[in-house]
Amino acid sequence: MLGQRLWQTRSRLCRPFVRNFTIAIDGPAASGKSSTARAVAHELGFGYIDSGSIYRCATLLALRQQAKDDSPEVADLITNAHLEINILPNTRQAPQRVTGMGRLCVPDVQVLMNGEDVSREIRSPEVNRHVAKIASDGQVRKVVLDIQRSLAAAAKAKSTGFQAKGTAANGIPSGVVMDGREAEADGVPGGVVMDGRDIGTTVFPQAELKIYLDASAMARAIRRWDELNSQLKETETGANQPVYPSVEDIARELEERDYADINRTHSPLRIAKDAVVIDNTNMTFEQQVYSITDLARERLGLERKYDDI
């Protein structure tokens, strides 16, 4: 009994008790949304949803089936796919950045599609070239919207890993599994962080904290180039290595993606009226993560922790 009380006390001290607190992080491609959202979720003990990976899976399915980007078949493909998104907090793929405030953990995300690990393939240059067109399709967005909201409901209950395939009548995804157990419809919800391009405007317009993360096109291009080349060094050896675009080519691709996202008919990229805009062009990774966690702490009625960074 005493041990249980000590554990409960320690849990309350380490992680604030919240109900339905949602952090929506939007922004253009390669602005650091995903890595920032993962680190913020880890710092706060919240669940995390990588919404972009859902659109990327739809794109990969379309490419494999040789379906046209605007084909109605794409919505059917993602509807019938079995997606599993797992947080990997303690693996080699989960780098920890050493800071003056301790170790800032950036958990990696594993994406399984129909049982296959596609975590790297969905971020390939080929998928990058097609994902904007796929994501602009209204029917695809409708399907993904349902998946996003269902996953968020499940992740709030438990944040270590989840699966989704369709939605049950009670709103909980059929086949949602976290820690090997079925998600309970009456589970106590907590907090979740989701990143994308329309999270604060469409998916969760009532989110308690909305962030718009931005950076210059060149800063984003350099980050994307570093990411692609890091993947290349880890996975490819020998003379037949794939050639990735130059930084300048990536910058042009990002500007084209920005234009497509801003001007698409369905859920275009917009800054929510009540969003906090953070331009991280000249910020360190730690600064942007801790600025968001402190904003969340404020809205949770807790003290800020990182005003001195």
Side-chain angles (χ1 to χ4, degrees):
M1 179 66 71
L2 177 59
Q4 182 180 8
R5 288 175 181 171
L6 288 173
W7 182 87
Q8 290 173 338
T9 301
R10 182 176 181 272
S11 296
R12 285 195 293 268
L13 290 173
C14 294
R15 181 175 301 180
F17 177 77
V18 296
R19 292 178 66 88
N20 290 323
F21 192 94
T22 301
I23 301 177
I25 301 180
D26 291 308
S31 58
K33 300 187 300 295
S34 178
S35 57
T36 300
R38 281 179 280 148
V40 168
H42 183 270
E43 287 292 303
L44 295 172
F46 284 7
Y48 168 67
I49 307 294
D50 180 11
S51 63
S53 67
I54 306 172
Y55 288 106
R56 289 177 173 275
C57 284
T59 303
L60 182 59
L61 286 167
L63 290 170
R64 289 182 172 181
Q65 295 297 319
Q66 297 183 336
K68 293 183 178 180
D69 292 347
D70 57 354
S71 170
E73 180 184 357
V74 180
D76 292 335
L77 288 172
I78 193 63
T79 298
N80 296 318
H82 183 82
L83 303 182
E84 182 178 343
I85 304 175
N86 298 312
I87 305 300
L88 307 177
N90 296 308
T91 66
R92 182 183 63 81
Q93 293 88 357
Q96 288 187 324
R97 301 168 189 252
V98 179
T99 73
M101 305 302 297
R103 298 181 69 84
L104 178 60
C105 183
V106 187
D108 201 4
V109 175
Q110 179 192 53
V111 181
L112 302 179
M113 184 174 70
N114 298 327
E116 176 190 356
D117 189 341
V118 295
S119 307
R120 293 190 181 279
E121 192 172 358
I122 61 174
R123 301 193 181 280
S124 67
E126 185 177 17
V127 170
N128 289 342
R129 285 191 291 269
H130 290 268
V131 67
K133 184 69 174 177
I134 296 290
S136 68
D137 182 86
Q139 195 59 35
V140 170
R141 297 198 73 84
K142 184 177 183 298
V143 171
V144 173
L145 177 62
D146 290 339
I147 295 173
Q148 289 170 314
R149 289 176 174 168
S150 296
L151 287 176
K156 285 179 181 179
K158 205 167 189 67
S159 61
T160 55
F162 38 86
Q163 303 180 44
K165 181 178 175 62
T167 303
N170 61 3
I172 298 296
S174 57
V176 167
V177 177
M178 292 172 289
D179 280 346
R181 293 171 291 178
E182 291 294 325
E184 297 292 339
D186 59 352
V188 178
V192 68
V193 183
M194 182 181 291
D195 66 280
R197 289 171 176 78
D198 64 343
I199 309 303
T201 56
T202 301
V203 183
F204 291 112
Q206 303 303 320
E208 285 74 13
L209 177 58
K210 300 176 186 178
I211 303 293
Y212 188 88
L213 204 58
D214 203 358
S216 69
M218 186 53 66
R220 291 186 285 132
I222 292 171
R223 293 169 189 170
R224 178 58 58 80
W225 187 87
D226 285 342
E227 176 187 3
L228 291 172
N229 279 273
S230 175
Q231 293 177 2
L232 173 63
K233 291 177 183 177
E234 290 183 9
T235 60
E236 300 291 341
T237 58
N240 296 321
Q241 295 181 349
V243 178
Y244 285 129
S246 67
V247 171
E248 291 75 16
D249 289 338
I250 293 175
R252 283 191 291 271
E253 286 186 4
L254 290 176
E255 289 174 344
E256 291 173 0
R257 176 71 193 270
D258 291 347
Y259 181 85
D261 289 337
I262 291 170
N263 292 282
R264 69 188 179 210
T265 302
H266 304 281
S267 301
L269 175 64
R270 294 285 188 272
I271 301 175
K273 291 187 299 183
D274 51 347
V276 178
V277 179
I278 298 177
D279 187 324
N280 63 19
T281 301
N282 297 309
M283 294 176 71
T284 66
F285 181 74
E286 289 75 12
Q287 286 173 331
Q288 65 195 42
V289 170
Y290 289 139
S291 64
I292 296 172
T293 57
D294 265 354
L295 285 169
R297 290 178 64 82
E298 276 188 333
R299 300 193 184 189
L300 286 165
L302 303 173
E303 293 183 4
R304 296 174 64 92
K305 292 176 64 176
Y306 304 110
D307 284 329
D308 57 341
I309 64 170

